[in-house]
Amino acid sequence: MARTGPLNAITDVAGVLVGHHERTGRGWATGTTVLLAPESTTGAVDQRGGAPGTRETNLLEPENLVRYVDAVCLSGGSAYGLAAADGVVRWLGERGRGLPVGQQPHEVVPIVPAAVLFDLPRGDWGNRPDAAFGHAACAAAAGGPVPQGNVGAGTGATVGSLSGGIGTASEQVDGFVVGALAAVNAAGEAVDLETGRPYAADHEVDGEFGVTAWPDRPAVLPGTEAPRLNTTIGVVAVDAALSKAECRRLAVAAQDGLARAVRPAHTMFDGDTVFVMATGERELPEGAGVVGGAGRAAALDALCSASARVFARAMVHGLLRTGPTSGVPAYAEVWPGVLR
């Protein structure tokens, strides 16, 4: 039986902090989410789909110089929203956090990979995240419970015919903790509209989704059509000491979890991007091992399997924890009385 971490959130991975900043009302419906990493956190990324919007992803390739990341920035606003990462870089630089490039402590370059989702135009055109959003999200970053739903990068999100948002989950596996945070904004559906059951509902652990019983009736949806330009973005964190290549394997596995949660996944209208942060707190066992054995490869495989499960569960939370988004209904509106 899978076991969640104490918070069932990505912040169950020690040292990972999450901050949101969003604006709603008066022509606004967008935001930014920042995940601050502990010192010496190894990073990686896997990107799929035909419409990505990213920053600083090439440096995460295993053959390139930089290994450690200082933060990951997730934002609404499509390509405009990449500006939010400027505020994250500034916030970190003000604190002397980054890759040392000079003789003085403040001479650093913060490493902040970023990805954006398409939420235009949920508010008025021109109202989208900028550097101030990233800076404010950093200032709000904390451990503990992670706000979910229509917050941060998930403020204006949709998933298929329904509202989307931020979701998070965690799992304890073989002494390690794997956590995920997803900004759920897929072009595909996350729910079987004929039954009301989320596609990844079978991944639930200990009643975490908060349902009395899944419905068994078709959706009755308003005529509003969700935009076809979307993109799910997110982060998987683990407290293991991994190489960049090993982190990449967790990111690949997380994309499998995304594909379990939405149908279709990785379309030409999505730019699905998953980052991995490995904090290095615990070492994997050494030795080559054999299939099913206790070597490093087997331990990594267990973490990859957990990465897929956790990301899928985070996506269900991102679906269920939301309210309506600019005329797009929330799950609880279409199937009332299902959620406790």
Side-chain angles (χ1 to χ4, degrees):
M1 292 289 293
R3 293 188 301 125
T4 73
L7 300 172
N8 196 20
I10 196 169
T11 48
D12 284 322
V13 179
V16 174
L17 308 180
V18 177
H20 301 301
H21 181 73
E22 65 278 336
R23 287 191 65 178
T24 58
R26 297 181 179 272
W28 286 87
T30 191
T32 298
T33 297
V34 172
L35 295 95
L36 299 179
E39 296 275 359
S40 301
T41 291
T42 303
V45 66
D46 186 73
Q47 188 281 314
R48 306 190 184 192
T54 58
R55 165 175 167 158
E56 294 278 54
T57 51
N58 283 355
L59 64 79
L60 297 179
E61 296 294 334
E63 67 272 20
N64 290 337
L65 172 66
V66 175
R67 174 177 180 178
Y68 300 127
V69 298
D70 298 300
V72 172
C73 179
L74 310 175
S75 188
S78 190
Y80 295 106
L82 288 171
D86 291 340
V88 183
V89 170
R90 179 163 60 87
W91 190 90
L92 289 163
E94 290 167 351
R95 288 153 181 80
R97 174 75 188 272
L99 178 70
V101 294
Q103 300 301 314
Q104 301 301 317
H106 67 278
E107 295 176 339
V108 297
V109 176
I111 305 301
V112 184
V116 292
L117 55 79
F118 187 91
D119 57 3
L120 304 175
R122 286 297 171 205
D124 294 340
W125 189 261
N127 288 349
R128 53 239 180 185
D130 57 15
F133 276 65
H135 199 276
C138 289
V146 176
Q148 300 181 76
N150 304 113
V151 295
T155 300
T158 61
V159 53
S161 304
L162 302 171
S163 177
I166 294 289
T168 189
S170 69
E171 181 178 329
Q172 301 179 61
V173 52
D174 297 336
F176 297 94
V177 179
V178 181
L181 182 143
V184 182
N185 189 61
E189 300 286 355
V191 178
D192 182 344
L193 297 180
E194 292 301 311
T195 66
R197 183 181 177 90
Y199 288 123
D202 59 343
H203 284 59
E204 185 176 25
V205 177
D206 293 334
E208 65 183 306
F209 298 146
V211 301
T212 53
W214 293 113
D216 189 18
R217 60 185 185 274
V220 178
L221 296 167
T224 303
E225 183 178 349
R228 296 192 67 196
L229 294 172
N230 287 75
T231 296
T232 294
I233 52 181
V235 178
V236 170
V238 62
D239 56 1
L242 303 178
S243 68
K244 290 172 71 176
E246 289 169 331
C247 284
R248 173 71 186 278
R249 293 303 307 174
L250 264 69
V252 169
Q255 295 276 16
D256 293 338
L258 188 159
R260 297 174 194 176
V262 295
R263 301 178 186 177
H266 310 141
T267 74
M268 289 299 293
F269 304 98
D270 292 293
D272 303 322
T273 302
V274 180
F275 298 96
V276 168
M277 302 192 307
T279 65
E281 184 176 341
R282 305 172 192 275
E283 296 288 342
L284 263 62
E286 293 301 330
V290 295
V291 176
R296 187 177 184 90
L300 178 64
D301 192 59
L303 295 180
C304 288
S305 296
S307 178
R309 292 190 296 268
V310 169
F311 203 85
R313 289 169 45 224
M315 290 191 66
V316 178
H317 283 294
L319 164 75
L320 299 180
R321 300 294 187 92
T322 64
T325 303
S326 299
V328 180
Y331 181 93
E333 293 180 305
V334 178
W335 290 278
V338 172
L339 303 179
R340 292 196 293 268

